Amino acid sequence: MMKAELHFKKSLLVSAVAFATFALAGCANTAPQGKYIDGVHHVSGKGKKSEITLEVKVEKGNITQVKTLSHKETESLYLNAERLLPEIVSHNGYEGIDAIAGATYSSNGILKAINDLPRVDGAKPEYQTVGARSQTGDDDFKLKWSIQPRLGLVKGDYYFEEARFRQGHMGSMLVVVDSNNLQDVILAEFNESGRPNYYTRLYQNVPKRMSEYNFSMGKKKGTAWVQSALTMEKLMMEKDQLTFELNPHYDPKLGNQLSEPNRLKYQGIDIVAGASNSIQQSMIPLTAKIHSRIQAGASDALFYQQAEKLLDEKGRWTGVTAMLRLVVDKNSHKITRAHYDEIFADEKKDIQDASLKAFYRQSKYDSINYVEPARIGFNVMIDALSSHLKEGGSLFNINDLPAAGDTGSYAQTGFTKRSDAWDNYLRLADVLYKQMRADGVISEHALPAQ
């Protein structure tokens, strides 16, 4: 009995040692690799208002302690950002850590400082700013689409139709065709604004194409409104087709059943069920009107678009694309429509400014939540530009437009500084102006006084 008991205890001891060895081996495999030079290091990174200096202790290649030595950030925001310090220790570095929402600049200052720690292999990777960690599950959003405009120059005969449908939604269709071959569809673009009495106040009168609407719809229904629009636009441009035959077996009761061939009102189209009403009740009827106008003869208006990726001082894409559109009357040579916008990249990782990553696949004009640094709505600026040009104002004399200059104290005037968007606009305006003058389709515009 004693021998059996002794043997049993010995077996337990062997098993315990084996388990402990296995557990330690498992920890060794998952623990952060030692990569930094041992010692106590002082490193710094630029926050929103100041340099942030940290003291970092490294033992056996791993970060064991991080504390703040100095900063001049807003105290309440920086205290929030300091929540990253224990995460840096557990991650043994800044990789894989997102910024704290509301303290994005301070967070990036801290993480950039960690990037300056001396490494055992002598490497110093370039730091890439990070966005705020999601509080709404955006990181789990799997739907994909692209709203990036075609780069460079697009020009041709211009057609546009808009009309309200289904409870008051406003649908609009833009078509540009080759001036020398009216059957060649160069650009087809559909947009829709939520009806004024929309049940979600946030989206009342808001354009859907490049706003948060697509993410909101995508989370609820598993598909984004813009995906159907883009699918149809591609079809129209690739096939130079603006009209579609009615489906003789159409059954409206099957509208949301994707597997049913008779759920669609028109033949030869492929659309997402969640946006099928917009396509069938607005987009296709509007393009049919445009088709009839094209058959009747050339448009009396010309369309010019210039789109460019905005680059930083090192020639790298900032993740923002600038786009200017102008429509000119062929007879009067005057601008009848104008729109400028800045469009964010399709992926967060491509947007350099961490504070802007949340606006991926949106534009400054259409986004509900985008905040223009000049302290005035971006849409207000662009609406003022459009009115200025339609009223005969110069493309270049824009000093009277909102946020076109430094106007002093925000408390006194409501503005703080000139918007960077105006310089981007002027560069694109110069490109289009030279092209339109070369084509002989626009009157001379006065340059700003030097």
Side-chain angles (χ1 to χ4, degrees):
M1 191 74 175
M2 292 290 291
K3 276 187 176 182
E5 184 177 356
L6 182 63
H7 178 73
F8 176 72
K9 288 182 176 180
K10 185 176 179 181
S11 297
L12 284 177
L13 180 61
V14 170
S15 298
V17 171
F19 177 80
T21 302
F22 172 79
L24 286 172
C27 289
N29 288 335
T30 58
Q33 297 296 310
K35 58 184 177 183
Y36 299 108
I37 295 175
D38 287 357
V40 177
H41 307 281
H42 291 176
V43 289
S44 299
K46 181 69 169 63
K48 186 176 181 66
K49 296 183 177 180
S50 67
E51 284 289 320
I52 298 169
T53 302
L54 308 176
E55 182 177 278
V56 184
K57 186 176 182 180
V58 178
E59 296 178 347
K60 297 181 180 179
N62 297 318
I63 298 171
T64 59
Q65 185 183 61
V66 184
K67 64 181 181 180
T68 302
L69 288 183
S70 65
H71 76 89
K72 292 183 181 178
E73 303 290 280
T74 301
E75 188 64 29
S76 59
L77 297 181
Y78 188 75
L79 287 173
N80 200 19
E82 275 195 313
R83 291 160 49 195
L84 296 178
L85 302 188
E87 292 187 42
I88 291 169
V89 174
S90 64
H91 281 70
N92 194 34
Y94 73 90
E95 293 87 347
I97 300 178
D98 289 330
I100 300 294
T104 306
Y105 287 100
S106 297
S107 297
N108 273 282
I110 289 172
L111 298 175
K112 187 175 187 302
I114 296 300
N115 184 56
D116 283 347
L117 281 174
R119 299 178 180 240
V120 173
D121 62 3
K124 185 180 179 182
E126 182 180 3
Y127 178 74
Q128 297 291 329
T129 56
V130 298
R133 55 196 61 188
S134 173
Q135 295 179 324
T136 59
D138 284 346
D139 290 340
D140 296 327
F141 194 80
K142 303 300 183 185
L143 299 178
K144 300 289 185 182
W145 66 85
S146 175
I147 59 165
Q148 290 301 299
R150 189 188 312 177
L151 297 177
L153 177 68
V154 177
K155 68 175 184 176
D157 274 33
Y158 168 82
Y159 298 86
F160 181 83
E161 291 283 346
E162 65 179 358
R164 293 198 180 275
F165 71 103
R166 196 168 58 96
Q167 297 179 304
H169 294 285
M170 177 63 83
S172 63
M173 190 69 203
L174 180 158
V175 172
V176 179
V177 298
D178 188 330
S179 297
N180 298 315
N181 177 9
L182 299 184
Q183 306 309 311
D184 181 5
V185 179
I186 297 172
L187 179 64
E189 186 174 295
F190 178 61
N191 206 344
E192 178 187 326
S193 294
R195 64 183 191 265
N197 63 342
Y198 199 65
Y199 59 88
T200 302
R201 184 173 181 179
L202 191 65
Y203 297 118
Q204 291 173 355
N205 293 313
V206 170
K208 296 180 178 181
R209 188 180 184 87
M210 292 188 284
S211 70
E212 291 88 341
Y213 179 84
N214 291 297
F215 293 91
S216 176
M217 178 183 174
K219 290 173 187 176
K220 291 178 182 178
K221 298 187 177 182
T223 184
W225 176 93
V226 71
Q227 290 178 298
S228 273
L230 292 170
T231 299
M232 285 298 297
E233 290 163 8
K234 182 180 180 182
L235 173 64
M236 290 177 178
M237 288 185 285
E238 287 183 349
K239 295 191 175 183
D240 296 321
Q241 181 177 356
L242 298 179
T243 59
F244 298 85
E245 297 294 327
L246 288 170
N247 177 3
H249 305 294
Y250 168 61
D251 184 351
K253 296 178 181 179
L254 304 176
N256 290 321
Q257 300 183 36
L258 290 172
S259 61
E260 292 291 339
N262 297 326
R263 71 182 184 90
L264 299 177
K265 185 177 179 180
Y266 295 92
Q267 293 180 331
I269 63 175
D270 181 17
I271 54 179
V272 177
S276 60
N277 285 323
S278 297
I279 302 302
Q280 297 177 111
Q281 296 178 21
S282 181
M283 184 182 190
I284 291 179
L286 290 176
T287 54
K289 288 184 179 181
I290 291 174
H291 175 75
S292 296
R293 289 174 55 194
I294 293 173
Q295 299 311 304
S299 170
D300 58 1
L302 288 168
F303 175 89
Y304 285 81
Q305 174 181 294
Q306 180 71 14
E308 297 178 3
K309 289 187 174 183
L310 299 181
L311 308 179
D312 63 13
E313 62 279 359
K314 295 183 179 179
R316 300 171 301 185
W317 186 33
T318 61
V320 182
T321 302
M323 180 186 72
L324 175 61
R325 290 176 168 177
L326 300 174
V327 177
V328 185
D329 184 273
K330 289 181 179 179
N331 300 313
S332 69
H333 294 182
K334 292 182 179 179
I335 293 173
T336 58
R337 285 179 177 264
H339 183 67
Y340 175 76
D341 207 346
E342 294 185 0
I343 301 158
F344 297 104
D346 295 332
E347 302 296 337
K348 289 181 180 180
K349 62 180 178 60
D350 295 322
I351 302 173
Q352 287 187 18
D353 188 334
S355 67
L356 300 177
K357 289 181 182 289
F359 303 108
Y360 74 114
R361 297 187 211 160
Q362 299 168 48
S363 80
K364 290 184 179 181
Y365 185 88
D366 286 333
S367 171
I368 300 165
N369 295 311
Y370 171 73
V371 178
E372 170 59 34
R375 300 276 186 177
I376 190 169
F378 187 88
N379 59 324
V380 173
M381 293 166 46
I382 304 311
D383 287 345
L385 171 68
S386 178
S387 296
H388 164 79
L389 294 176
K390 287 192 292 185
E391 291 168 3
S394 168
L395 282 162
F396 309 107
N397 283 332
I398 60 169
N399 291 337
D400 292 335
L401 298 183
D406 296 333
T407 55
S409 167
Y410 172 59
Q412 293 177 354
T413 67
F415 307 138
T416 54
K417 62 180 181 179
R418 176 183 173 87
S419 172
D420 292 341
W422 289 128
D423 296 318
N424 300 328
Y425 155 77
L426 286 172
R427 186 172 63 256
L428 270 60
D430 185 59
V431 173
L432 288 186
Y433 178 68
K434 289 176 178 176
Q435 181 64 55
M436 291 186 295
R437 289 290 287 171
D439 293 343
V441 300
I442 193 170
S443 303
E444 186 173 0
H445 278 225
L447 297 174
Q450 297 298 322

